[in-house]
């Protein structure tokens, strides 16, 4: 299966993805390997389904056990302590900024075999899953960046171009 990245300011990125039903699980299973390969080919450590135009609640993330698919992810709880880290996003090429997020999360999700799991994730994996879960809710990392490290001007340029294209 072929995928195409959707980049900002495409409005699809602001849509909330729908919950995956049991029926749709089989479909996700068939595309899972291509999806993860695409994420890696694009140099991503995480990819939310709406970033390739699929408005369903699943994401790919690189974990200690390798790249994995997380279906219907829900963050049940998270650490109180927040940590600052520089984030990028495949939908915002050349944009980077500092984002504060909880250091760890407890996630409930369905795995690619349809099993529901509850698991703790720390450090980079916790961050990636939080970033991608935000995507599934139509939230973007630019909403949370408190200091840009690269590419802040690009965002305005893209917004201006999108408005010009609409006219
Ligand atoms: Co992103």
């Amino acid at each position: 299966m072929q995928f195409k990245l959707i980049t900002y300011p495409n409005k699809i990125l602001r849509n909330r993805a729908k919950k995956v039903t049991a029926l749709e699980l089989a479909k996700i299973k068939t595309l899972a390997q291509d999806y993860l390969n695409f994420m890696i080919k694009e140099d991503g450590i995480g990819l939310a389904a709406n970033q390739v135009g699929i408005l369903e609640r699943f994401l790919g993330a690189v974990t200690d056990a390798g790249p994995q698919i997380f279906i219907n992810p829900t963050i049940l709880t998270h650490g109180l302590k927040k940590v600052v880290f520089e984030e990028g996003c495949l939908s915002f090429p050349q944009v980077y900024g500092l984002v504060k997020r909880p250091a760890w999360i407890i996630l409930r999700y369905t795995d690619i075999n349809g099993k529901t799991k509850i698991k703790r994730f720390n450090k980079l994996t916790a961050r990636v899953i939080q970033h991608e879960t935000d995507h599934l809710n139509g939230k973007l990392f630019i909403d949370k960046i408190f200091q840009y490290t690269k590419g802040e001007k690009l965002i305005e340029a893209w917004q201006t171009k999108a408005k010009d294209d609409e006219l």
Side-chain angles (χ1 to χ4, degrees):
M1 184 167 171
Q2 294 271 32
F3 297 100
K4 195 172 175 294
L5 260 182
I6 289 178
T7 56
Y8 185 80
N10 191 314
K11 292 186 178 83
I12 289 175
L13 295 174
R14 287 294 185 187
N15 284 317
R16 203 183 141 85
K18 315 195 297 302
K19 196 172 174 205
V20 173
T21 63
L23 270 175
E24 287 155 347
L25 258 170
K27 189 185 76 189
I28 293 169
K29 196 168 180 174
T30 61
L31 62 76
Q33 198 53 55
D34 287 347
Y35 182 89
L36 293 174
N37 289 344
F38 176 78
M39 175 181 88
I40 290 156
K41 184 186 72 120
E42 295 289 331
D43 277 331
I45 52 173
L47 181 68
N50 41 356
Q51 288 182 279
V52 293
I54 303 174
L55 286 176
E56 289 175 36
R57 298 187 79 78
F58 71 91
L59 61 89
V62 172
T63 72
D64 294 342
Q68 277 183 47
I69 297 275
F70 296 87
I71 299 162
N72 295 332
T74 304
I75 295 167
L76 297 177
T77 182
H78 57 74
L80 289 177
K81 196 185 139 212
K82 288 188 175 180
V83 284
V84 172
F85 200 77
E86 185 184 50
E87 293 188 12
C89 178
L90 290 178
S91 294
F92 293 77
Q94 305 305 316
V95 175
Y96 295 88
L98 303 180
V99 180
K100 273 183 205 161
R101 296 191 191 270
W104 58 264
I105 57 168
I106 307 242
L107 189 77
R108 185 181 64 213
Y109 65 98
T110 300
D111 74 7
I112 199 63
N113 296 313
K115 283 208 181 97
T116 300
K117 296 192 168 174
I118 293 176
K119 216 172 148 182
R120 176 173 166 145
F121 294 94
N122 305 304
K123 298 184 178 174
L124 187 59
T125 311
R127 178 163 296 263
V128 173
I129 291 171
Q130 290 177 77
H131 176 119
E132 306 311 334
T133 303
D134 278 351
H135 270 298
L136 297 178
N137 293 325
K139 281 191 213 147
L140 299 171
F141 83 139
I142 55 167
D143 307 339
K144 295 190 171 173
I145 288 177
F146 66 91
Q147 189 188 318
Y148 281 88
T149 49
K150 206 179 161 199
E152 184 174 10
K153 294 235 161 64
L154 284 171
I155 292 172
E156 236 173 276
W158 291 332
Q159 285 170 344
T160 307
K161 189 184 174 300
K163 269 194 201 116
D164 290 349
D165 290 349
E166 273 173 28
L167 293 174

